[in-house]
Amino acid sequence: MGAAGRWAHRIILFVLLVGTGPALAQEPDGSRVALVIGNASYESVTPLRNPANDAVAVGAAFARLGFDTTVVLDLDFAGMRSELQAFEEKVASADVAVVYYAGHGIEMGDTNFLIPVDAELKRDVHLWDEAIRLERVLLAVEAAESLRLVILDACRDNPFANQMEMTDPSRSIGRGLALFEPPTLEDGSTILAFAARQGTIAADGDGDHSPFTEALLDHLETPGLEVSFIFRNVRDDVMAATGGAQEPMITSSLGREQIFFAEAGAVEAPPVAVAQQPAEEQGNIVVAYQAALAIDTIEAWQSFLRYYPDGLYADLARAALNKLRGENAAANDQLLPPDEGPGPTVVAEGDNPAEAAIAACDREAAYRYDPDRPEDVPPVPTHLVVASAALEACRLAIELNPDDRRMLYQLARAADVAERRSEAFDAGRAAAALGSPAAMTLVGRYYEQGLGTEQDIEAALDWYGRAVEAGSSDAMVELGYLYDSGSGVERDLDEAGRWFARAADADNAAGSAAIGYRYRNGRGVEQNLAEARYWYERAAEGGDGFAMQELAYMLEYGEGGPVDFETATVWYEAAAERGFAYSMMSLGFIYEVGQGVEADLDEARRWYERGAAAGDGIAMYALGRLYEFAIGVERDYAQAFAWYSQSALTGEIPAALTRMGILHADGLGVEQDYSTARDLWEEAALAGDDDALLNLGYLYQAGQGVPTDMERAARYYIEALSLGSASAIDYFSSGDHPAEIRRAIETYLIGEGLLAGKPDGFFDDATLAAMAALGAG
């Protein structure tokens, strides 16, 4: 999966956490709590396909419903016990408590056990030592006042039963889980929901979710649907989806009070959408400056200057940037990890000035893959090169050593980091003329990309060829990319692979990263995620930032191996320190939801700010959410609007435009203006946001800032449904809608062959199913 795919996945998670379109998320107040567990990466048996997806989606749904939600994946025995203990503390003051579990479960002697990922279960008696009894989960929710709900998608066909030694013939391992009647407590209700009837198994599913969880997600957020009816609908849907093979069951001890997760009428007034980048007079430049000032990093000020290059604030930003660069130059020695960069060069009084200058240039700009670099000279990773200090040191070194090709190359490298293209090209040419392999590669890259000179692919190929002959593994990588893209040569993925392999054989991390990319995306080779993970790990350990980010993603989502949040976080941090904005944004998300780390909203905000400063549009969107919904910060609609505006400029996430429109429609942080909302909403719809279409439909239905136009409203609704908008289906599954619109939608569905009969203006289950089929088609 490339960067776009990763962004889409992360965007989905963000949208799930808050919601866009009609069903706005409720803010958690601690009265409703949920613990969501997904165990998939079992160590002793074949991993399950869907529990991680199921848990993330269910957790997001509960978060939208206003639950204080904890989502944890792949817990061992100690982890499950610890999470249940921590959850008990939350339940103590809660009105409603929910535990959802997806993974393996087993029944023995009418006792149900939930199985951690580290369980081996070699003997039947080990169940008591290695698994969690269902009664323990019920104890965790017992203190909730009104509703105690345990949802078990754990009746899957269990491989542990086949390998377990039975020490007592009287014991038996059942199929699925045993139905269990919850204890009757004095107050409130207790519900146990099982994915399958006793003695039967539940399917893991071939799609993104198990059939049980898919149905649960379809009904969990339905406004005005009482909890017990949610599970009645889930039962019917699962029976239909599995042809009657799987029948969910519930056991309960019900009190008198009815419980609704989503109150009726919650979607009566969908928000409106989209706005353009506000002008400076709207105050965004001030907000952006204040944000850069609060972050106060080189990346933050550079980002500010990209958007606001002129004026007083730009002058102030440049002053702050120069100050930070000077401080970084002084602190560079402290920034270098002991195993990765040079310590300070100490030149004793009386040492040769020319040699001292070489040592200073080495300290600032020595390059790992420069064949001329002596083994006792530590390299400086690119992200730790402080351009101003390196330029000064290497210019002095060349003054005193005018024919030293390594010093000339290192000056070219420093100028390249500083984006002084002409100086980099001139110094590189001079070093290449003296035989520097690294400089030959730099010159080839400048010809290839037209940096500091006119683009000339033939010249680039010539210089890369010379560099390879001189021993440059970087040039092998560059040639690989030329053959991969067909730039200046006939595209040849096999030839590209051979060049990448040569570079990797020379221990070039970029070569290994390129091989990892080929295996991950099936580019010139058969896709092999495990192989991709191996090569990315090798490249990451060699210092390649791109590989660090890719490896972190694969670890986070269990691609090519088990999920490992802790190691993913380590690699995201390493990639972030090398300037990879997606990694910064990912760390923000990790700390926001507590994924493998303790949730820390301040840390989440700091990482989002760094990602935003580095230009990541999703990080900007996330900051907008924090300020709009007061997540770890004081609510500030103006700040939210400013961050959404910055995100919209990147074009990465149309939902940013939708959130801006919501604020416009409600007059929050900006002047209420339906006309602007409409215009910008249309822009969001063109960018692929189905909720924008839904909001446009409501705009014309309600006549907000436009003449009422039911026909046009129906067209927008139909287009939203055609794009598979879950929000649109939710919107039409409840509430009162004009008969004219209902009939128009029914007429369209009948015309598409998705609905039988004649339009009657009544949306029943068959109509809603037809809407879903329209989106799926």
Side-chain angles (χ1 to χ4, degrees):
M1 181 184 299
R6 289 198 308 279
W7 288 343
H9 194 169
R10 184 71 73 183
I11 289 167
I12 290 168
L13 291 175
F14 281 137
V15 172
L16 285 172
L17 283 173
V18 175
T20 58
L24 297 181
Q26 304 170 39
E27 296 181 40
D29 59 8
S31 66
R32 307 204 291 183
V33 296
L35 172 62
V36 179
I37 301 171
N39 282 351
S41 300
Y42 284 90
E43 298 170 9
S44 299
V45 296
T46 303
L48 289 169
R49 172 189 172 90
N50 280 325
N53 294 337
D54 293 345
V56 169
V58 170
F62 277 117
R64 287 194 299 271
L65 289 166
F67 280 72
D68 180 352
T69 305
T70 300
V71 180
V72 284
L73 304 181
D74 292 327
L75 293 181
D76 57 17
F77 179 80
M80 288 187 72
R81 184 173 57 186
S82 174
E83 291 295 340
L84 287 169
Q85 290 171 347
F87 187 59
E88 283 176 331
E89 298 297 321
K90 292 184 177 182
V91 174
S93 58
D95 188 53
V96 176
V98 178
V99 174
Y100 168 93
Y101 173 82
H104 276 310
I106 197 168
E107 175 266 323
M108 185 173 70
D110 289 330
T111 299
N112 293 315
F113 297 86
L114 309 184
I115 303 179
V117 295
D118 63 343
E120 296 183 349
L121 302 182
K122 294 179 179 179
R123 296 174 139 198
D124 53 357
V125 294
H126 293 174
L127 273 168
W128 279 268
D129 303 321
E130 299 178 20
I132 302 294
R133 292 177 63 181
L134 176 56
E135 289 88 340
R136 177 65 187 89
V137 179
L138 286 168
L139 286 174
V141 300
E142 187 176 67
E145 186 172 342
S146 296
L147 175 64
R148 299 161 290 275
L149 172 61
V150 176
I151 306 170
L152 300 173
D153 195 354
C155 310
R156 294 166 168 86
D157 192 12
N158 202 309
F160 288 99
N162 299 325
Q163 65 187 36
M164 188 185 300
E165 178 187 346
M166 303 303 295
T167 62
D168 186 340
S170 67
R171 298 192 186 105
S172 64
I173 300 295
R175 218 166 162 252
L177 296 181
L179 291 190
F180 179 86
E181 293 292 337
T184 300
L185 301 179
E186 184 175 344
D187 297 315
S189 300
T190 304
I191 298 176
L192 284 177
F194 296 86
R197 178 184 289 277
Q198 181 171 346
T200 65
I201 60 174
D204 191 35
D206 296 324
D208 291 335
H209 302 295
S210 73
F212 177 76
T213 294
E214 188 74 55
L216 179 65
L217 291 169
D218 285 344
H219 298 287
L220 191 59
E221 298 173 86
T222 302
L225 191 61
E226 203 272 335
V227 169
S228 62
F229 281 89
I230 289 176
F231 290 100
R232 294 181 189 185
N233 290 348
V234 168
R235 173 196 175 277
D236 291 347
D237 284 5
V238 173
M239 289 280 286
T242 62
Q246 179 179 335
E247 180 184 6
M249 296 291 291
I250 67 169
T251 61
S252 61
S253 172
L254 297 178
R256 179 177 301 173
E257 180 185 1
Q258 290 187 317
I259 303 292
F260 298 90
F261 286 158
E263 295 294 336
V267 297
E268 294 272 320
V272 198
V274 304
Q276 294 174 340
Q277 163 67 10
E280 286 190 7
E281 59 264 27
Q282 292 178 283
N284 273 11
I285 188 170
V286 177
V287 173
Y289 182 84
Q290 290 172 340
L293 186 63
I295 301 167
D296 199 29
T297 64
I298 289 175
E299 295 93 337
W301 291 116
Q302 287 175 332
S303 178
F304 177 87
L305 287 169
R306 277 199 299 273
Y307 290 109
Y308 304 108
D310 302 310
L312 172 62
Y313 285 102
D315 293 340
L316 293 172
R318 289 188 183 92
L321 186 59
N322 291 334
K323 178 174 179 286
L324 282 174
R325 283 172 170 163
E327 291 172 352
N328 277 10
N332 190 43
D333 294 333
Q334 283 71 43
L335 291 174
L336 296 174
D339 62 341
E340 188 170 9
T345 301
V346 179
V347 182
E349 186 176 351
D351 281 355
N352 184 305
E355 293 178 358
I358 288 174
C361 180
D362 282 340
R363 184 181 67 185
E364 301 294 344
Y367 180 52
R368 176 176 181 174
Y369 298 114
D370 181 0
D372 288 343
R373 177 180 61 82
E375 290 185 5
D376 61 347
V377 174
V380 184
T382 300
H383 73 287
L384 294 179
V385 173
V386 178
S388 57
L391 286 168
E392 182 178 355
C394 294
R395 285 168 182 162
L396 177 60
I398 291 166
E399 283 183 20
L400 300 177
N401 306 274
D403 295 325
D404 190 315
R405 72 188 195 187
R406 185 161 63 87
M407 295 301 102
L408 280 165
Y409 164 69
Q410 289 176 186
L411 173 62
R413 185 185 186 213
D416 182 53
V417 171
E419 298 184 359
R420 300 175 64 91
R421 304 304 188 192
S422 294
E423 183 176 4
F425 183 70
D426 291 343
R429 289 266 301 183
L434 293 172
S436 165
M440 294 175 189
T441 305
L442 182 144
V443 171
R445 177 164 59 85
Y446 269 49
Y447 273 121
E448 179 189 348
Q449 299 177 17
L451 302 174
T453 185
E454 290 187 10
Q455 186 179 40
D456 187 336
I457 300 297
E458 288 188 7
L461 285 166
D462 178 58
W463 280 109
Y464 287 150
R466 295 190 205 182
V468 168
E469 290 179 5
S472 170
S473 59
D474 274 350
M476 300 172 191
V477 176
E478 298 294 349
L479 283 169
Y481 280 122
L482 284 179
Y483 281 103
D484 182 86
S485 64
S487 187
V489 295
E490 185 176 350
R491 189 182 185 202
D492 188 335
L493 295 180
D494 291 336
E495 183 68 8
R498 284 189 283 271
W499 281 113
F500 292 143
R502 282 188 62 180
D505 288 342
D507 289 328
N508 188 294
S512 296
I515 295 173
Y517 182 87
R518 282 164 62 84
Y519 277 112
R520 186 162 185 221
N521 295 277
R523 193 173 180 86
V525 294
E526 185 176 349
Q527 186 181 44
N528 186 327
L529 294 180
E531 193 74 7
R533 190 153 155 170
Y534 164 79
W535 283 104
Y536 278 144
E537 184 172 1
R538 177 171 163 176
E541 290 173 349
D544 187 88
F546 171 76
M548 293 172 184
Q549 180 167 278
E550 296 292 290
L551 176 61
Y553 184 90
M554 297 187 80
L555 289 164
E556 182 184 4
Y557 292 104
E559 288 189 3
V563 169
D564 186 342
F565 289 136
E566 183 176 351
T567 307
T569 301
V570 171
W571 284 119
Y572 273 138
E573 288 175 345
E577 293 307 317
R578 285 159 174 77
F580 284 80
Y582 175 85
S583 291
M584 300 172 194
M585 178 275 299
S586 295
L587 287 164
F589 179 83
I590 285 169
Y591 279 101
E592 181 182 349
V593 302
Q595 181 174 276
V597 299
E598 186 176 350
D600 185 335
L601 293 177
D602 287 336
E603 188 70 4
R605 175 180 52 77
R606 284 190 287 269
W607 278 113
Y608 285 144
E609 287 171 344
R610 285 191 62 180
D616 187 88
I618 307 172
M620 299 170 192
Y621 174 79
L623 286 167
R625 289 189 305 106
L626 298 188
Y627 283 103
E628 182 181 358
F629 293 96
I631 303 173
V633 296
E634 186 175 342
R635 191 187 308 276
D636 188 332
Y637 291 117
Q639 279 272 49
F641 187 86
W643 282 118
Y644 288 142
S645 298
Q646 295 295 329
S647 177
L649 280 175
T650 70
E652 291 180 29
I653 174 168
L657 297 168
T658 303
R659 299 311 307 176
M660 291 167 64
I662 292 168
L663 296 177
H664 261 301
D666 294 337
L668 300 174
V670 290
E671 184 178 352
Q672 187 175 41
D673 186 344
Y674 287 120
S675 178
T676 299
R678 178 205 61 205
D679 294 343
L680 303 169
W681 200 358
E682 289 173 350
E683 181 184 343
L686 288 173
D689 189 77
D690 52 83
D691 282 331
L693 291 163
L694 179 59
N695 289 336
L696 278 168
Y698 186 83
L699 186 74
Y700 281 96
Q701 173 187 321
Q704 292 181 330
V706 295
T708 300
D709 188 336
M710 295 299 181
E711 181 180 353
R712 190 169 185 177
R715 287 201 303 271
Y716 280 124
Y717 286 143
I718 290 168
E719 190 172 351
L721 290 166
S722 299
L723 293 177
S725 171
S727 297
I729 295 175
D730 288 343
Y731 178 53
F732 287 117
S733 65
S734 63
D736 187 22
H737 310 288
E740 184 178 349
I741 286 178
R742 293 200 300 269
R743 284 194 294 268
I745 293 174
E746 286 177 321
T747 299
Y748 184 84
L749 293 173
I750 292 168
E752 291 294 307
L754 300 172
L755 186 66
K758 296 180 179 180
D760 59 9
F762 178 70
F763 283 178
D764 56 12
D765 289 343
T767 312
L768 296 176
M771 292 178 184
L774 177 64

